[in-house]
Amino acid sequence: LNKDCPSFCKMSINLDLVIFGSKLSGKTSLIKRYLQDVFDDDVQKAALYYSKTVEINNKKFKLKIWDTKDGTKRYKFLLPMYYTSSQAVIITLDSEPEKFKDSFEHAQTIIKEIRFVDNNKIIYLVNSKQDKIENQLNEENDKKVAQFAKFYNITYTKISSKTAEGFEDLFSSIASSVVNKIERQFGSIIEDSLIYP
């Protein structure tokens, strides 16, 4: 280990992730597709915690995921608690025509709030309803989202919770981004012989 590495580097490393998004934007469906490989569009009644072991560069980590209820007003005051303690944030964007405007405004509000306190937080803006043609954004709205993402230095991607298209790439990218950020800050902190539970 790097001799200048803080004490936490010698312990198990968890990759903490939180998911935000407007009501019914696909937060829980996204998580269940990734963790259980099933499509479930039931509405989640409360914030829940999930975990999964992931492998990056032949090393194992625990990916810890919080599924929040920030789409409801009473949970708004809890948002800082989630994003300040997480290393990466996913924000789901509802691309259904009748929901897109409100969902995008909701996403913008959260992203601006996070960027106000942390300009380097890893953030992914995810459109997870790409399986239906009618849910695919028109060129104007897609460009609007892409420009916003570029301005705030976040990653904008499109996947499908229903078909699982793009899922492995999404979560592999997030986990790799977190590990790379840690190593840029503290040097090479991961020994080949260590396996993180």
Side-chain angles (χ1 to χ4, degrees):
L1 292 174
N2 188 318
K3 65 180 180 179
D4 297 320
C5 179
S7 59
F8 77 80
C9 296
K10 300 177 178 63
M11 300 184 293
S12 300
I13 295 180
N14 294 320
L15 309 182
D16 297 303
L17 171 66
V18 62
I19 300 185
F20 296 132
S22 57
K23 188 176 181 180
L24 302 179
S25 61
K27 297 185 294 293
T28 303
S29 296
L30 185 152
I31 293 174
K32 289 188 175 180
R33 168 58 73 184
Y34 177 61
L35 296 179
Q36 303 170 11
D37 197 23
V38 296
F39 177 67
D40 184 353
D41 57 359
D42 286 345
V43 178
Q44 193 62 54
K45 298 296 190 297
L48 292 177
Y49 160 80
Y50 305 86
S51 67
K52 180 178 181 177
T53 299
V54 297
E55 188 169 305
I56 305 170
N57 299 328
N58 298 316
K59 302 174 184 71
K60 293 181 180 180
F61 302 84
K62 178 182 278 188
L63 181 62
K64 297 165 61 179
I65 306 172
W66 274 104
D67 178 9
T68 68
K69 288 287 292 178
D70 73 291
T72 57
K73 291 183 178 179
R74 63 177 178 170
Y75 279 86
K76 186 176 180 180
F77 73 97
L78 294 174
L79 297 191
M81 178 186 73
Y82 287 111
Y83 67 68
T84 55
S85 61
S86 297
Q87 294 157 307
V89 176
I90 287 179
I91 300 171
T92 52
L93 177 64
D94 196 329
S95 58
E96 294 183 32
E98 68 277 11
K99 298 177 182 177
F100 168 72
K101 184 177 182 294
D102 289 341
S103 185
F104 187 37
E105 289 178 354
H106 183 83
Q108 290 179 81
T109 298
I110 297 172
I111 290 167
K112 290 176 181 178
E113 180 178 332
I114 295 173
R115 280 288 177 255
F116 183 76
V117 298
D118 188 344
N119 202 41
N120 296 310
K121 181 75 71 178
I122 297 168
I123 303 175
Y124 281 68
L125 181 58
V126 178
N127 181 344
S128 64
K129 298 184 177 182
Q130 289 299 287
D131 50 280
K132 294 183 179 180
I133 294 178
E134 60 267 29
N135 288 344
Q136 295 178 7
L137 296 179
N138 61 40
E139 184 177 353
E140 180 183 356
N141 284 336
D142 192 53
K143 184 177 181 180
K144 187 186 300 183
V145 175
Q147 288 176 335
F148 176 83
K150 182 177 181 181
F151 183 83
Y152 282 94
N153 189 30
I154 64 178
T155 301
Y156 170 47
T157 187
K158 306 168 193 176
I159 61 175
S160 170
S161 296
K162 192 168 186 177
T163 66
E165 179 183 355
F167 263 76
E168 286 302 323
D169 289 343
L170 170 65
F171 283 91
S172 293
S173 175
I174 293 172
S176 295
S177 295
V178 172
V179 171
N180 290 338
K181 183 178 180 181
I182 293 173
E183 292 197 332
R184 283 197 305 272
Q185 291 176 320
F186 304 112
S188 183
I189 64 173
I190 305 164
E191 289 185 338
D192 291 340
S193 61
L194 293 180
I195 296 180
Y196 298 97

